[in-house]
Amino acid sequence: MISTFSLSQALVYAAVAFTAYIISLCAYRVFFHPLAKYPGPLSYKLTGWPLVWQAYKGDRHIWHLRDHERYGPVVRIAPNTLSFNTTSAVHAIYGTRSANVKKGEWYKTFDIAAGTYSSFTETDREKHAIKRRWMTPTFSTESIKANEPLLIDIIERFCESLKPNGAAWGEKWNAHQMGVYLGFDLMGALVFGSDFKSVQEKRNRDLADCVLPAQKLLYWLSYLPVASLVRPLLRSQLLEMVGGKPVRDNNRLIDYGKAQVQARRSNDVNEKGFADAKDFLSKLAYNGDKKTGWQPTSLDLDTESLNMIIAGADPFSQVFTGTLFYLVHNADCLKKVTEEIRSTFASPSEIVSGPKLTSCTYLHACLEESLRRLAPVPSHVPRVVLPGGATIDGAFLPPGTVVGVPQYALHHNPSYFASPFIFSPERWLASPENPPSAIDEMRRAFEPFGLGVRGCIGKNLAYLQLKLSLAHFLWRFEVRETVVEGERGLGCGGAGLGVGRERRDEYQLWDALGAVRDGPVVEVRSAW
Ligand code: HEM
């Protein structure tokens, strides 16, 4: 009896203590925390769970935009996190080497299951600098040029597989799906020297189909308060059982990368010819960092090959497909860009990198505008303030504060882009009404590839892949969306899709670090 009484008393004391703790924590976060003075919804100030929910739903970018519209250029989006929506902040946080910030714990979920951190997820600045120096020659102009014939071969086969018989319109196809397979085939060839043929053969598509589910899983896992406990389990049978297909998908990609790395590091390297091969993995396997003498281990290569496939294939597909979406929804732009390509190149064999491709300024402007509208990495990518603090937009922030600028909100900020929800490649072209100084100003708010030392290493490669793919495709085909009268086309916004998704002519993305998407469904006919 006595012990029961004591136990229930102890439970009451514990409950009272816990309630008092929660109340004081909430009071601290709302009134006394160093970020207390920054505006934002009360729920964000109290807990990080709204972010977890937004990441799970894929709507984070939409919330960032709405929160900035409502609360202004700085919003407290979690107890310890500020989101900025200004060009000065984007340059202060990401653009300068001297910024006193680094990538934080959040990144550690992404490719750790492969064994170690990649150039993308490495949070230590010195270790990252070594990896970046190691990788830079692989992404040089010469290295990309040496691989260009391979890219063109894959793009030509992609076009061939879409070609209808005769002069009529061909079968409908989902541009998102075909874009994924094209992106995967391109990166598979570059990174592994493999010919996946996932565009051509349905049975070869399993591996490509693993990328987005795996990415979506890791994205929302990364926001869980228990992410650090889940991370070590990512390769375990337990997580495969609980997480199901997305966990298996992630493991399949890792296993593929590991098998390729093993092949390159086996004793019969020379017999296989990998040492002289042009593919990225071979280059990375046989080179280290010249400055420090660092050499990659098998785990470094496993992780980096997975990273290159995910970081390279999916954003390409997203932008290729998104550009098709915006072109089929903007007939004038489609006409102009098609005329430019057909008048510049007499035949597809001329479509290669060089002065002619560079002279296609309208094509470039269409890509810039798609990159602006899509915002391929749409939400706030976080940086953590280091000891000593940092000053951003005039405010001093203490060490440990998480800061970032969400791309989708910045790219649709009317202070920088007039009529931000209109697709207008013309805004990127100089004219008497649009002087170069206005374009330069806009460019400061344009960061689809990130900025600075952690900006995208594959930027030039991505532009080349996108230009070659679109130019080859539009040279050969007329293209149109196939929508049944009165229905919403796949990929379009519309009523019932959720808050911020009402615009019919906006390509819908569900944020997953990159983005989940679908459609448009299109058909083509031969132009010649
Ligand atoms: C349209 C295509 C692409 C877009 C929009 C894009 C965008 C980005 C962005 C925004 C970042 C910075 C992310 C952050 O700060 O967390 C990034 C980093 C990175 N990207 Fe890309 N990317 C594209 C294509 C590629 C390609 C083709 C590759 C080739 C493998 C690639 C490899 C990487 C790597 C390795 C990093 C990490 C760089 C570092 O931290 O040193 N990306 N990319």
Side-chain angles (χ1 to χ4, degrees):
M1 193 64 193
I2 289 170
S3 65
T4 313
F5 175 75
S6 303
L7 181 65
S8 53
Q9 218 174 19
L11 284 174
V12 170
Y13 284 142
V16 170
F18 183 68
T19 311
Y21 167 73
I22 295 292
I23 290 172
S24 17
L25 183 66
C26 291
Y28 168 73
R29 285 182 173 172
V30 176
F31 300 111
F32 307 108
H33 191 281
L35 305 186
K37 64 180 178 198
Y38 293 98
L42 181 63
S43 59
Y44 296 5
K45 295 179 182 181
L46 292 174
T47 147
W49 280 99
L51 267 190
V52 178
W53 178 246
Q54 292 166 4
Y56 178 71
K57 298 290 284 179
D59 289 340
R60 257 186 87 203
H61 57 305
I62 293 175
W63 284 105
H64 289 326
L65 177 79
R66 289 170 67 86
D67 290 335
H68 279 295
E69 281 170 352
R70 188 158 168 214
Y71 294 98
V74 193
V75 182
R76 189 175 172 199
I77 60 167
N80 200 29
T81 307
L82 290 182
S83 174
F84 292 82
N85 191 15
T86 61
T87 52
S88 43
V90 89
H91 288 272
I93 296 170
Y94 304 101
T96 68
R97 200 174 275 274
S98 57
N100 198 28
V101 297
K102 66 167 198 154
K103 284 191 174 183
E105 285 289 303
W106 178 78
Y107 279 90
K108 294 192 166 175
T109 307
F110 287 96
D111 48 20
I112 188 57
T116 183
Y117 301 117
S118 70
S119 58
F120 172 62
T121 53
E122 180 56 70
T123 57
D124 182 289
R125 296 210 287 189
E126 293 303 314
K127 288 184 185 160
H128 170 260
I130 290 176
K131 288 215 164 150
R132 187 82 187 204
R133 281 197 300 269
W134 166 53
M135 291 178 71
T136 297
T138 301
F139 288 87
S140 67
T141 314
E142 300 74 51
S143 166
I144 295 174
K145 188 77 198 158
N147 279 293
E148 190 176 331
L150 200 63
L151 298 180
I152 292 177
D153 177 47
I154 288 168
I155 293 166
E156 288 194 322
R157 284 191 277 149
F158 169 74
C159 293
E160 198 53 39
S161 70
L162 300 174
K163 193 172 162 191
N165 289 326
W169 289 96
E171 285 177 19
K172 298 179 201 179
W173 44 276
N174 185 325
H176 154 63
Q177 281 168 359
M178 292 310 277
V180 165
Y181 302 134
L182 174 61
F184 199 75
D185 286 357
L186 289 171
M187 284 317 289
L190 285 178
V191 175
F192 300 120
S194 304
D195 189 1
F196 284 125
K197 289 200 184 85
S198 39
V199 164
Q200 287 80 18
E201 317 237 357
K202 283 193 176 139
R203 64 185 163 167
N204 293 351
R205 293 178 180 174
D206 284 8
L207 206 57
D209 287 334
C210 292
V211 174
L212 266 176
Q215 202 174 325
K216 195 172 167 217
L217 168 89
L218 295 178
Y219 188 56
W220 85 267
L221 269 187
S222 69
Y223 274 99
L224 287 179
V226 290
S228 57
L229 301 177
V230 179
R231 260 179 238 139
L233 301 177
L234 272 169
R235 289 281 274 174
S236 72
Q237 282 193 337
L238 174 70
L239 216 72
E240 274 203 10
M241 271 161 54
V242 179
K245 185 175 174 304
V247 179
R248 287 198 298 278
D249 286 346
N250 193 40
N251 288 339
R252 265 195 78 177
L253 287 164
I254 295 171
D255 289 338
Y256 183 82
K258 281 185 183 296
Q260 294 293 316
V261 171
Q262 231 168 28
R264 274 150 187 80
R265 288 174 89 89
S266 65
N267 291 333
D268 53 353
V269 159
N270 287 327
E271 194 184 313
K272 288 202 162 115
F274 287 133
D276 304 321
K278 284 188 267 191
D279 66 81
F280 288 6
L281 188 54
S282 298
K283 276 190 202 297
L284 293 175
Y286 294 100
N287 288 292
D289 171 34
K290 291 203 172 70
K291 192 170 167 192
T292 56
W294 175 88
Q295 289 295 325
T297 63
S298 292
L299 283 183
D300 290 314
L301 293 166
D302 293 350
T303 311
E304 210 59 60
S305 59
L306 176 71
N307 175 40
M308 286 190 290
I309 281 289
I310 294 185
D314 199 60
F316 161 86
S317 315
Q318 185 192 339
V319 180
F320 175 73
T321 313
T323 307
L324 279 187
F325 176 92
Y326 283 111
L327 290 177
V328 294
H329 280 255
N330 292 276
D332 287 354
C333 304
L334 177 60
K335 188 164 176 280
K336 265 193 190 172
V337 71
T338 308
E339 279 172 7
E340 180 183 74
I341 290 163
R342 292 189 192 152
S343 62
T344 306
F345 302 104
S347 75
S349 63
E350 287 186 5
I351 306 177
V352 292
S353 62
K356 279 193 170 185
L357 195 59
T358 312
S359 76
C360 293
T361 48
Y362 199 75
L363 173 65
H364 188 73
C366 286
L367 273 176
E368 299 293 68
E369 187 63 349
S370 302
L371 284 161
R372 182 186 72 81
R373 292 297 325 273
L374 295 163
V377 180
S379 294
H380 161 128
V381 281
R383 298 292 186 268
V384 181
V385 175
L386 289 168
T391 301
I392 295 163
D393 279 359
F396 177 79
L397 302 175
T401 307
V402 179
V403 291
V405 177
Q407 215 178 74
Y408 180 76
L410 188 68
H411 285 187
H412 292 86
N413 184 334
S415 311
Y416 307 121
F417 300 98
S419 308
F421 290 97
I422 302 285
F423 181 81
S424 170
E426 282 70 18
R427 73 173 83 232
W428 298 104
L429 297 169
S431 68
E433 302 76 48
N434 192 30
S437 57
I439 300 176
D440 288 348
E441 197 52 37
M442 231 169 31
R443 250 180 214 295
R444 283 183 51 76
F446 180 64
E447 45 109 16
F449 292 93
L451 294 173
V453 286
R454 301 306 301 246
C456 182
I457 200 169
K459 178 175 167 181
N460 293 340
L461 170 63
Y463 270 113
L464 180 66
Q465 287 178 326
L466 286 163
K467 285 187 180 180
L468 289 174
S469 303
L470 286 165
H472 274 270
F473 177 81
L474 293 171
W475 194 95
R476 289 171 167 89
F477 299 123
E478 308 291 323
V479 55
R480 67 180 183 192
E481 192 185 24
T482 55
V483 187
V484 178
E485 189 70 27
E487 277 188 14
R488 183 175 59 82
L490 208 54
C492 297
L497 281 183
V499 175
R501 298 193 177 277
E502 301 82 6
R503 293 172 211 93
R504 189 185 173 278
D505 59 356
E506 179 170 30
Y507 192 45
Q508 294 302 307
L509 302 176
W510 278 266
D511 175 32
L513 186 56
V516 175
R517 66 271 167 191
D518 205 359
V521 177
V522 295
E523 58 192 1
V524 297
R525 75 174 171 202
S526 296
W528 307 88

